[in-house]
């Protein structure tokens, strides 16, 4: 089912080709159809999607925190020639598509920057605001399935932190290429599923943090979710549908060790986000066969390491390219 905010939607002449008859409004009594409870946490109920994390209040707070972290890390809401693409003089409605939109913070922020652009946010669960800005539209959709729009319908497709929902990224890229107009922009941003160290730090300083990610990645591989953050530029090139990608990586500090005041604040937020991430993974680790004692020991060791070891970072891998 697709979730549309019909009372706030801004229509445009291209909607006639959108297969809009498939779009229905989700009422509050429909919400139980999209969630189930396990181990005291709320999860999506879409059986075929491998996404392992809860979608409840604490996880939504983590997603909002992560949105602020990434915005402050790259120092803006986007990378690449977004303004150029969205200010194209061609006389038609410009459109942006945000994949795995979560709570919808990024589309809402972008909508304030580009008030004439129509922005769609897709997610498997309806956890975005029910009162979006007039030119923002949230819909329920499994991004591993074909999108409802026709060829060349989008000007910019934004894919940030989607690696826990996608088992076949090259296949997703084929669909992205279909949706983008020639010259349209694709952006990927993924935080690597590991802990790294700033220059001069020793890998031996945080062995339990490293072990945590090793165990988590083995459990995720049972769902066919392999680490792909640094592989996406290669996927983009191999598709032969895009220009050579522009690649940038950013270090996100863990904790308040950074000398820069902004990054010190970012580091505090990221430390909190990693703790919440570890808590959110507990049901998946239990499902993978670990005992409660093993899970508690793993998570406790991880948290102790990231709290006490200075110089730890997460690596944010970004790439953008234009459709040929």
């Amino acid at each position: 089912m697709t979730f549309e905010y019909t009372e706030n939607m801004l229509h445009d002449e291209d909607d006639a080709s959108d297969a809009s008859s498939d779009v229905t409004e989700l009422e509050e009594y429909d919400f139980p159809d999209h969630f189930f409870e396990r181990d005291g946490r709320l999860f999506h109920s879409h059986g075929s999607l491998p996404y392992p994390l809860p979608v409840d209040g604490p996880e939504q707070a983590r997603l909002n925190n992560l949105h602020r972290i990434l915005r402050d890390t790259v120092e803006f809401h986007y990378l690449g020639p977004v303004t150029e693409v969205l200010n194209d003089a061609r006389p038609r409605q410009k459109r942006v598509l945000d994949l795995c939109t979560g709570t919808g913070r990024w589309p809402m922020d972008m909508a304030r920057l580009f008030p004439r652009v129509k922005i769609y946010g897709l997610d498997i669960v309806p956890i975005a605001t029910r009162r979006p800005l007039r030119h923002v539209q949230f819909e329920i959709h499994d991004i591993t399935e074909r999108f409802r729009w026709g060829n060349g319908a989008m000007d910019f497709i934004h894919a940030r932190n989607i690696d826990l929902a996608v088992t076949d990224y090259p296949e997703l890229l084929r669909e992205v290429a279909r949706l983008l107009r020639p010259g349209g922009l694709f952006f990927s941003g993924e935080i690597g599923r590991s802990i790294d160290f700033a220059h001069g730090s020793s890998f031996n300083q945080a062995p339990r943090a490293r072990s945590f990610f090793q165990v988590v990645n083995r459990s995720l591989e049972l769902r066919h979710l392999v680490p792909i953050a640094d592989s996406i530029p290669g996927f983009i090139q191999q598709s032969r549908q895009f220009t050579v990608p522009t690649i940038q990586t950013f270090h996100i500090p863990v904790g308040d060790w950074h000398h820069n005041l902004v990054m010190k604040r970012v580091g505090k937020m990221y430390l909190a986000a990693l703790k919440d991430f570890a808590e959110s993974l507990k049901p998946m680790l239990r499902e993978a066969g670990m005992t409660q004692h093993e899970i508690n020991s793993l998570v406790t060791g991880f948290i102790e390491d990231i709290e006490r070891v200075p110089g730890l970072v997460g690596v944010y891998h970004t790439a953008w390219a234009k459709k040929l």
Side-chain angles (χ1 to χ4, degrees):
M1 177 182 286
T2 304
F3 182 23
E4 181 179 6
Y5 295 90
T6 52
E7 68 274 16
N8 288 330
M9 189 182 74
L10 177 65
H11 292 276
D12 65 70
E13 59 192 19
D14 292 333
D15 276 334
S17 62
D18 267 4
S20 294
S21 60
D22 294 336
V23 180
T24 57
E25 185 175 2
L26 184 70
E27 302 293 346
E28 289 191 14
Y29 55 74
D30 291 319
F31 275 43
D33 295 337
H34 297 274
F35 305 97
F36 75 93
E37 188 174 350
R38 185 175 80 241
D39 297 328
R41 303 297 300 267
L42 204 62
F43 293 83
H44 77 84
S45 60
H46 195 291
S48 65
L49 193 70
Y51 187 74
L53 297 178
V55 293
D56 50 17
E59 179 61 13
Q60 292 174 40
R62 185 187 74 86
L63 293 176
N64 289 337
N65 196 19
L66 197 57
H67 170 69
R68 291 187 289 269
I69 289 165
L70 296 179
R71 178 199 63 200
D72 292 348
T73 297
V74 305
E75 300 181 338
F76 204 48
H77 296 291
Y78 56 81
L79 295 171
V82 173
T83 301
E84 170 195 321
V85 169
L86 296 184
N87 288 340
D88 186 309
R90 275 174 275 197
R92 70 170 182 78
Q93 174 72 63
K94 303 300 184 296
R95 294 178 172 193
V96 173
L97 180 62
D98 184 37
L99 306 182
C100 297
T101 196
T103 59
R105 290 297 180 93
W106 187 84
M108 293 290 281
D109 284 349
M110 288 293 287
R112 296 181 182 97
L113 295 174
F114 297 96
R116 295 184 178 275
V117 174
K118 192 165 183 177
I119 304 179
Y120 301 88
L122 303 185
D123 206 287
I124 196 63
V125 287
I127 60 175
T129 175
R130 290 181 63 83
R131 293 178 176 82
L133 296 174
R134 184 168 174 77
H135 52 296
V136 176
Q137 185 171 316
F138 293 113
E139 300 180 8
I140 294 175
H141 182 73
D142 177 354
I143 66 166
T144 65
E145 299 175 356
R146 183 180 173 88
F147 297 96
R148 68 181 179 87
W149 294 278
N151 297 350
M154 296 295 163
D155 297 273
F156 176 27
I157 296 181
H158 181 261
R160 190 179 71 179
N161 295 331
I162 72 170
D163 69 326
L164 294 182
V166 179
T167 58
D168 189 344
Y169 207 97
E171 177 60 31
L172 174 67
L173 278 177
R174 284 188 281 275
E175 184 68 353
V176 166
R178 182 186 70 79
L179 283 181
L180 280 174
R181 65 164 172 85
L185 183 66
F186 173 65
F187 170 83
S188 165
E190 299 288 346
I191 299 176
R193 275 190 246 149
S194 63
I195 202 75
D196 214 327
F197 298 81
H199 180 70
S201 298
S202 168
F203 277 89
N204 295 324
Q205 289 181 315
R208 294 176 294 178
R210 293 182 65 199
S211 176
F212 171 82
F213 278 105
Q214 289 169 354
V215 171
V216 166
N217 283 328
R218 285 197 298 268
S219 297
L220 289 169
E221 286 171 8
L222 298 176
R223 297 169 177 252
H224 308 288
L225 294 169
V226 299
I228 58 169
D230 58 355
S231 301
I232 292 172
F235 294 150
I236 293 173
Q237 285 189 279
Q238 291 161 19
S239 75
R240 300 185 178 181
Q241 297 285 333
F242 300 90
T243 59
V244 175
T246 297
I247 303 167
Q248 291 177 272
T249 58
F250 301 84
H251 280 180
I252 309 172
V254 180
D256 63 356
W257 58 266
H258 204 283
H259 66 276
N260 178 277
L261 290 179
V262 172
M263 297 312 292
K264 186 183 290 289
R265 176 171 55 82
V266 167
K268 290 179 180 179
M269 290 192 293
Y270 192 48
L271 175 62
L274 284 174
K275 291 179 182 179
D276 292 339
F277 179 63
E279 288 295 324
S280 289
L281 283 169
K282 283 183 174 181
M284 183 198 73
L285 295 173
R286 192 174 300 113
E287 191 178 87
M290 294 181 68
T291 67
Q292 191 61 51
H293 174 74
E294 290 171 334
I295 294 170
N296 290 340
S297 177
L298 181 73
V299 170
T300 298
F302 170 68
I303 291 175
E304 287 178 356
D305 269 7
I306 62 176
E307 284 183 330
R308 71 175 179 81
V309 179
L312 300 181
V313 296
V315 181
Y316 183 44
H317 301 261
T318 74
W320 63 262
K322 287 187 175 182
K323 169 72 182 300
L324 292 174

